[in-house]
Amino acid sequence: MGDPGDIGPTGPTGATGLTGPTGTTGDPGDIGPTGPTGATGDIGPIGLTGPTGGTGPSGATGSTGPTGPTGGTGAAGTTGPTGAAGVTGPTGPTGATGPTGPPGTAVEEVFQLLSSVNETSFVDVDGSSGSSMGDQLIVNGDLIRDAATVGEYSEVCTVTRAAPADESDLQCTVVLDLPEGRITAEGRFTITSAGAGPITFAITGGTADYRTARGFISAVPVSDTDTNLSVNLIRGPFGG
């Protein structure tokens, strides 16, 4: 037998056949119905609230009784008798009063007093034991009229000149306290080995009855402790 011939080329692969359609899935079987739930029992009805009782009527207000009559006013008590007035003591002697001028004018009067020293004090500013500038003499005492004490006075004097050695000048302020008020005065005078001699003070003012006082006071020493004062007083409107 002859040699087998060459194997011929492989023929083309045949086309794949179409896939047939997938079969439909069968419907699942129905779930059986759930059994019915038992019915809940009904809640019993709430009992009705009874009606509120009505408010009873208010009682009538009683009438006000009549006002009783007002008692009569008692009779006023009898006023006791007035006690007898005390006896007035005797009035001390009054100094001489000057004539009274017509309204709106000044009134001048002059009266006499005696000043009597009670206490004195000397202030030595430099310790020199002698009179020197600035030394002070301080005095107080009684004011006497017709032998009766009627007031007090005080005086402060300052040495304003101390040379020559046998004399010095004093500048003084004087206050007279009297029942009618206070009189103030000032003056400057010289003291020598023979004494002070007559002194004149200018009245500078006052209080109470002497609130418009002006004029002057003349002073004349009569002893180491006593001085006669002649008060020449003008009271009233300035310029009168």
Side-chain angles (χ1 to χ4, degrees):
M1 175 181 292
D3 296 323
D6 295 327
I7 299 171
T10 302
T13 302
T16 304
L18 297 173
T19 303
T22 303
T24 59
T25 303
D27 294 328
D30 294 330
I31 297 172
T34 301
T37 302
T40 302
D42 294 333
I43 298 172
I46 298 172
L48 298 175
T49 303
T52 303
T55 303
S58 300
T61 303
S63 58
T64 303
T67 303
T70 303
T73 303
T78 305
T79 303
T82 303
V87 178
T88 303
T91 303
T94 304
T97 302
T100 302
T105 63
V107 177
E108 297 186 26
E109 60 181 293
V110 179
F111 57 89
Q112 310 299 319
L113 295 170
L114 176 70
S115 66
S116 183
V117 173
N118 285 335
E119 297 177 294
T120 61
S121 178
F122 183 74
V123 180
D124 189 355
V125 294
D126 61 1
S128 64
S129 300
S131 180
S132 57
M133 290 281 290
D135 286 351
Q136 286 191 319
L137 177 65
I138 304 164
V139 181
N140 68 59
D142 294 327
L143 295 175
I144 299 169
R145 177 189 294 161
D146 298 332
T149 299
V150 294
E152 299 176 343
Y153 80 97
S154 58
E155 181 178 9
V156 177
C157 296
T158 302
V159 176
T160 57
R161 182 176 66 86
D166 62 344
E167 66 180 48
S168 58
D169 288 346
L170 296 179
Q171 176 73 34
C172 298
T173 300
V174 180
V175 178
L176 308 182
D177 280 312
L178 296 167
E180 300 84 3
R182 178 174 296 164
I183 298 172
T184 59
E186 292 185 355
R188 179 176 178 272
F189 57 92
T190 300
I191 296 179
T192 66
S193 57
I199 305 166
T200 300
F201 296 97
I203 295 175
T204 57
T207 63
D209 287 355
Y210 301 124
R211 63 188 178 277
T212 58
R214 59 198 193 277
F216 63 94
I217 300 172
S218 296
V220 180
V222 294
S223 71
D224 291 339
T225 59
D226 294 348
T227 301
N228 283 328
L229 303 178
S230 179
V231 181
N232 295 264
L233 185 67
I234 303 173
R235 289 192 285 178
F238 288 100

